[in-house]
């Protein structure tokens, strides 16, 4: 299914899907969304781009090996849970850091760090599986 229309549209569609996945990631915990579904959307974007343009172009686009991305995400998710130990609280207790930037309150939290970690785990794992399947299909 490598038609000229699909190859032309796939990079734009993939970029739009990755942008939407970041939106879904950042709105998690307050509304439906979060790291898992955002990661699935981003991995789907990688799969679409891989089907249209080939696995080699996807590997060039993501720079890092997908399992390395997944491992770093797992590290981030575990680190978000361990930060509560420094305040003598239970594992995965939420910690908040609030900044005031020109009359705007910006709240950073460990649930956001955890969600970003889950996002990276899902993108890395599902992306690795999708790329392996596409490479196998090409042979």
């Amino acid at each position: 299914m490598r038609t000229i229309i699909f190859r032309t549209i796939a990079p734009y569609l993939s970029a739009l899907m990755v942008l939407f996945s970041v939106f879904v990631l950042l709105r998690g915990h307050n509304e439906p969304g979060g790291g898992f579904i955002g990661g699935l959307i981003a991995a789907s974007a990688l799969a679409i781009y891989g089907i249209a343009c080939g696995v080699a172009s996807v590997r060039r686009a993501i720079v890092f090996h997908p399992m390395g991305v997944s491992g770093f995400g797992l590290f981030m998710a575990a680190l978000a849970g361990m930060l509560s130990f420094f305040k003598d609280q239970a594992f995965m207790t939420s910690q908040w850091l609030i900044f005031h930037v020109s009359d705007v309150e910006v709240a950073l939290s460990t649930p956001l760090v955890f969600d970003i970690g889950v996002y990276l785990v899902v993108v890395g794992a599902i992306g690795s599986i999708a790329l392996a399947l596409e490479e196998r299909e090409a042979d």
Side-chain angles (χ1 to χ4, degrees), residues 7-76:
R7 281 184 287 158
T8 304
I9 273 306
Y12 300 108
L13 179 63
S14 297
L16 188 61
M17 287 176 71
V18 169
L19 185 66
F20 181 67
S21 76
V22 171
F23 169 75
V24 170
L25 163 70
L26 293 178
R27 77 176 229 170
H29 282 301
N30 296 329
E31 294 179 23
F36 186 76
I37 191 64
L40 286 177
I41 294 168
S44 299
L46 290 178
I48 287 173
Y49 190 69
I51 291 169
C53 302
V55 175
S57 61
V58 174
R59 291 198 187 275
R60 280 192 307 271
I62 60 174
V63 181
F64 299 106
H65 192 278
M67 290 311 288
V69 172
S70 188
F72 182 70
L74 184 61
F75 174 74
M76 279 184 67

Side-chain angles (χ1 to χ4, degrees), residues 32-109:
F36 186 76
I37 191 64
L40 286 177
I41 294 168
S44 299
L46 290 178
I48 287 173
Y49 190 69
I51 291 169
C53 302
V55 175
S57 61
V58 174
R59 291 198 187 275
R60 280 192 307 271
I62 60 174
V63 181
F64 299 106
H65 192 278
M67 290 311 288
V69 172
S70 188
F72 182 70
L74 184 61
F75 174 74
M76 279 184 67
L79 184 67
M82 290 186 184
L83 289 177
S84 59
F85 287 146
F86 295 113
K87 291 194 171 190
D88 275 342
Q89 295 175 333
F91 182 68
M92 295 293 281
T93 301
S94 296
Q95 306 298 320
W96 294 86
L97 186 61
I98 298 174
F99 295 106
H100 294 281
V101 180
S102 62
D103 296 335
V104 175
E105 187 175 279
V106 178
L108 299 177
S109 64

Side-chain angles (χ1 to χ4, degrees), residues 121-134:
V121 167
V122 171
V123 168
I126 303 297
S128 180
I129 292 168
L131 291 177
L133 289 173
E134 183 64 27

